[in-house]
Amino acid sequence: MTPDPAAVPAELFDVAVIGGGLNGLTQAIALARHGISVAVIDREDPVRATAAGFDGRVSAIALASQRMLDAIGLWRHVSDAQPMWDIRVSDGDSLLFLHYDHSDLGSDPFGYLVENRVMRLAQQAAIADTPNLELIAPMRARQISYGEPGSGAPAVLDLDNGRQIRARLVIGADGRQSVIRRDAGIRTIDWAYDQTGIVCTVQHALPHDGVAQERFLPAGPFAILPMTDDAQGAHRSSLVWTEPTERAAAIMALDDAGFVAEMRQRFGTGYGACDVVGPRWSYPLSFMLATRYSGHRMALIGDAAHGIHPIAGQGLNLGLRDIAALTEAVVEARRLGLDIGRVDVLERYERWRRVDNVVLGAVTDGLTRLFSNDIAPLRLARDLGLGVVNRIGPLKKLFMRHAMGDIGRLPRLLKGEAI
């Protein structure tokens, strides 16, 4: 006979992670691999979250982020990853462009393109061989009590099924509409772009050679991201196509033939004959920064702390850098015998991450506003800017290292080092 969850004494974990998406599960795995006991509470059914139709996006994993995933034992479960050898940025039909060639810095790629579904499957496989980690899903925490600061009491989480758990630290990884952030009274700076990102997979006749393309069109960026060939050897790329929201809705409403015709007008002829394969998705685009990332026994990571325009493909990498910094702060505090939910421990994480997130958020917002128009003086200025950066070797190499995630004071995991 199954016991009544409410009759079972509350279990104590070091950390409870709310949200089991790409950031939440990666955070849990990183902590558990360092001896921290973790419970993940996620409202999604893991079977549904790994189904083919759940999430059609492809994420760019910068080289430093890939090193971290490897260091925590997650990367070995990634079954399908396309190295990104070159990046080409162009503005409409301008003859000036910016080309990043990985060989200018060494033999490593800038990073990898991985389908989100592939990453979710890798996370599930990693959970299976990670001690100290329990995924509780589908489930919600209906109430969280953090206790009085200074009391030493853990947070108490009451789950929808009557089960109660305790944790020294609660990590909010529950997305842009974060309940953890809202209940903590943390304000956000946010706005919508009146743009929608259309995502689909394109099959094309000619190989992409591992080159990621970012084309700036008046309606918004049009990114062609290389993917691995399919099981039959057909060449594939993921398309992230930005349009004003009203126009995007009209494009999404087209039948297959009409949608493909619109895509081909923008895709160009450099890849040979092309066609859309599989479903299409659309996502509203917006900007959000939380005014703080931590409090008593609480920290925010990933989209719960910040959300940026996908113009530079850095959204997931920001979350992975959060994870690397928070893991280091928590693991080191634990080794010193400190309470990992103390405000000063979590403020160290917040200070480490805030500048990077604010700067990249401002840069992506500025690029979006600069390139999402067809104003002649601005078009001339940005085209000249691309051309100048492309010709100044040291400046271009600095930008290339940014694309790899190899700039600034990096947490050890991002260097591929154990904590």
Side-chain angles (χ1 to χ4, degrees):
M1 181 176 179
T2 303
D4 178 1
V8 178
E11 303 158 82
L12 178 63
F13 292 85
D14 294 315
V15 175
V17 177
I18 307 300
L22 297 182
N23 286 304
L25 285 182
T26 301
Q27 177 69 86
I29 293 165
L31 290 169
R33 290 291 170 90
H34 288 86
I36 307 291
S37 62
V38 187
V40 181
I41 298 92
D42 188 30
R43 63 185 180 183
E44 289 289 353
D45 184 334
V47 174
R48 179 175 178 270
T50 53
F54 181 77
D55 185 349
R57 290 170 292 184
V58 170
S59 290
I61 309 293
L63 183 64
S65 298
Q66 183 269 336
R67 290 193 200 114
M68 183 192 81
L69 298 178
D70 192 36
I72 63 173
L74 178 53
W75 189 253
R76 68 173 178 263
H77 296 290
V78 175
S79 60
D80 201 25
Q82 169 62 52
M84 182 166 48
W85 297 111
D86 287 29
I87 301 173
R88 192 178 192 278
V89 182
S90 58
D91 186 14
D93 57 2
S94 171
L95 297 177
L96 297 173
F97 60 89
L98 179 59
H99 180 211
Y100 294 161
D101 184 335
H102 78 285
S103 64
D104 289 342
L105 294 179
S107 59
D108 291 322
F110 288 100
Y112 296 83
L113 282 305
V114 181
E115 294 175 67
N116 285 5
R117 178 172 180 263
V118 169
M119 185 61 69
R120 292 175 191 276
L121 289 168
Q123 290 176 321
Q124 294 297 326
I127 288 171
D129 65 10
T130 303
N132 306 319
L133 198 167
E134 181 180 356
L135 173 60
I136 307 170
M139 188 58 59
R140 295 173 187 262
R142 69 170 183 266
Q143 182 175 329
I144 302 176
S145 172
Y146 294 96
E148 290 296 322
S151 69
V156 178
L157 296 85
D158 294 306
L159 308 186
D160 273 349
N161 66 348
R163 182 178 176 185
Q164 188 177 81
I165 65 175
R166 297 177 294 154
R168 297 291 178 189
L169 171 62
V170 177
I171 298 176
D174 50 342
R176 293 204 189 193
Q177 306 305 318
S178 171
V179 174
I180 300 300
R181 186 186 67 232
R182 181 200 68 194
D183 289 351
I186 297 175
R187 295 182 297 106
T188 61
I189 301 166
D190 55 82
W191 53 79
Y193 284 111
D194 191 29
Q195 289 181 329
T196 293
I198 299 170
V199 176
C200 63
T201 298
V202 177
Q203 183 176 299
H204 42 85
L206 301 179
H208 49 56
D209 297 324
V211 179
Q213 302 247 11
E214 182 90 75
R215 299 175 181 168
F216 291 113
L217 304 178
F222 187 88
I224 303 172
L225 307 176
M227 299 171 65
T228 55
D229 292 349
D230 68 13
Q232 289 71 46
H235 307 308
R236 302 183 303 156
S237 291
S238 176
L239 181 61
V240 183
W241 167 8
T242 305
E243 291 282 347
T245 297
E246 186 175 343
R247 175 64 179 156
I251 291 172
M252 287 295 293
L254 293 171
D255 61 16
D256 289 345
F259 183 84
V260 170
E262 289 283 345
M263 179 274 293
R264 287 175 177 164
Q265 287 182 24
R266 297 160 176 79
F267 203 79
T269 58
Y271 293 81
C274 60
D275 204 352
V276 173
V277 292
R280 25 176 152 140
W281 293 265
S282 65
Y283 304 91
L285 304 181
S286 60
F287 176 94
M288 185 277 291
L289 282 175
T291 54
R292 59 185 175 91
Y293 300 166
S294 64
H296 172 61
R297 299 211 179 282
M298 182 277 299
L300 302 175
I301 64 168
D303 287 353
H306 43 74
I308 63 175
H309 196 285
I311 192 168
Q314 290 298 311
L316 179 58
N317 289 299
L318 279 184
L320 295 176
R321 293 205 285 271
D322 292 346
I323 291 164
L326 182 56
T327 300
E328 189 162 323
V330 168
V331 169
E332 289 189 344
R334 173 70 174 272
R335 288 174 180 167
L336 291 171
L338 302 176
D339 182 344
I340 63 173
R342 278 174 38 168
V343 170
D344 57 343
V345 171
L346 301 176
E347 283 180 342
R348 178 195 172 199
Y349 154 70
E350 181 169 346
R351 288 193 302 270
W352 203 344
R353 292 300 307 135
R354 175 162 293 281
V355 172
D356 183 33
N357 290 334
V358 170
V359 168
L360 191 55
V363 167
T364 56
D365 181 68
L367 288 173
T368 299
R369 297 177 188 279
L370 176 63
F371 282 95
S372 295
N373 62 73
D374 200 30
I375 302 171
L378 286 179
R379 187 172 66 245
L380 176 61
R382 67 200 185 205
D383 290 352
L384 290 173
L386 291 176
V388 167
V389 172
N390 198 54
R391 290 178 176 275
I392 301 178
L395 181 59
K396 185 163 77 165
K397 286 182 179 179
L398 177 65
F399 287 179
M400 291 164 69
R401 289 183 60 209
H402 269 289
M404 287 181 166
D406 258 344
I407 290 290
R409 188 171 70 89
L410 297 179
R412 276 174 276 180
L413 285 177
L414 291 175
K415 302 174 188 176
E417 301 171 1
I419 299 174

